[in-house]
Amino acid sequence: MSLQTVLVTGANRGIGLELVRQLLSEPNPPQHLITTTRQTANRVELDALVAQHPNLHVLHIESKAYDSFTATGGVADQIQKIVGTRGLDTLIINAGIAISKELDNVTANDMIENFEINTVSPLMLTKALLPLLKVASAQRKTAVVNISSLLGSIELAKPKPDGQWFSRYPYRCSKTALNMISQCLSTDLKRDNIYVISMHPGHLKTQLGGPTAPVEVDAGVKGIIKQIKLIDNNSNGKLVSYAGGILSW
């Protein structure tokens, strides 16, 4: 992957913010690194990076405001004005939420909310940005990376050896569906030379992962970037681990 024009969603904290930091620190950083956040305030670290790096751009986005993705002057238009004829070669969809409800307290609204933000929104955003992805893919290697989770794997959804088990219905199901979207997109976009993968980022010490998570954020993100650079026909349409290797669906 050339990583010349990159979009990272959900970049105000956690994995997204660390992706921004590390991409800016690359020996050959992106010509344009575009980030999105739903925050209009309380984004001190991201704004500080913008002040230091003229190639970093921040756009406001609401994950469920689907019409704004393609509206005149909306998300796609704003990105097009930044990247111009270079197109968008790397789309990293990181924005998401985790509603970890169990059988005794999960509600229909929990399921719908998690599904909309983690599954529907990534598909609609990718669809809206397809013209820009196709412009890039005619020039260089281009990919869509959906940040998913091992918890979305059906085959690996088993209790731990000690018997510990959490169903986390809304979150798990939203990531399982996201994995199917990655698989379907990889087939639909193959003719356009656009790769699509799901990425397991590891259990990281983020606000979502918690302070006892086993993997530091910088180490996990370093692995994510490495695996993005290695995307090929073998990983296309697969669930890829930040540590390398293909995981079972």
Side-chain angles (χ1 to χ4, degrees):
M1 289 298 303
S2 56
L3 296 170
Q4 295 177 25
T5 53
V6 181
L7 173 62
V8 179
T9 72
N12 192 48
R13 59 183 173 86
I15 293 173
L17 183 59
E18 185 61 25
L19 278 166
V20 172
R21 290 194 192 102
Q22 292 197 23
L23 287 170
L24 289 171
S25 298
E26 286 276 296
N28 295 300
Q31 179 182 359
H32 293 293
L33 176 54
I34 306 162
T35 64
T36 73
T37 174
R38 61 185 179 84
Q39 303 291 335
T40 56
N42 299 320
R43 55 187 204 191
V44 176
E45 291 180 81
L46 187 58
D47 286 339
L49 288 170
V50 170
Q52 298 169 30
H53 300 277
N55 60 329
L56 178 59
H57 315 266
V58 180
L59 305 181
H60 177 259
I61 188 172
E62 292 290 343
S63 295
K64 296 193 292 182
Y66 310 125
D67 289 345
S68 72
F69 298 171
T70 55
T72 301
V75 176
D77 275 2
Q78 292 177 61
I79 294 171
Q80 195 282 325
K81 288 180 180 178
I82 294 169
V83 300
T85 59
R86 298 291 291 157
L88 184 68
D89 64 47
T90 311
L91 170 58
I92 305 174
I93 300 185
N94 167 70
I97 61 171
I99 300 176
S100 299
K101 294 291 187 71
E102 300 300 307
L103 184 58
D104 60 348
N105 62 354
V106 67
T107 67
N109 285 337
D110 292 331
M111 298 296 294
I112 292 167
E113 179 72 4
N114 222 152
F115 193 85
E116 274 208 277
I117 293 176
N118 288 9
T119 314
V120 179
S121 184
L123 177 60
M124 293 299 100
L125 183 60
T126 301
K127 182 180 177 182
L129 298 178
L130 270 181
L132 296 175
L133 291 164
K134 290 178 180 180
V135 168
S137 70
Q139 305 173 42
R140 58 198 185 279
K141 198 170 182 179
T142 297
V144 177
V145 180
N146 287 314
I147 301 299
S148 184
S149 172
L150 189 67
L151 294 178
S153 169
I154 294 174
E155 184 173 341
L156 300 176
K158 301 172 183 177
K160 293 181 179 180
D162 62 2
Q164 188 180 42
W165 169 253
F166 298 101
S167 293
R168 298 170 178 166
Y169 284 95
Y171 182 71
R172 281 184 182 267
C173 292
S174 72
K175 292 300 187 181
T176 302
L178 180 63
N179 291 342
M180 178 59 79
I181 285 173
S182 294
Q183 170 62 35
C184 291
L185 284 172
S186 73
T187 300
D188 287 339
L189 300 180
K190 187 174 183 178
R191 62 182 177 271
D192 297 302
N193 296 314
I194 298 172
Y195 297 86
V196 185
I197 67 167
S198 283
M199 177 72 69
H200 167 57
H203 186 187
L204 308 183
K205 290 181 180 177
T206 61
Q207 184 176 353
L208 189 153
T212 61
V215 183
E216 297 291 341
V217 179
D218 59 345
V221 169
K222 183 178 180 180
I224 291 171
I225 294 173
K226 179 180 179 180
Q227 297 310 314
I228 290 174
K229 291 178 180 179
L230 294 174
I231 289 174
D232 59 15
N233 289 328
N234 292 323
S235 58
N236 194 32
K238 300 296 195 302
L239 175 59
V240 179
S241 171
Y242 78 100
I246 308 298
L247 300 174
S248 299
W249 288 128

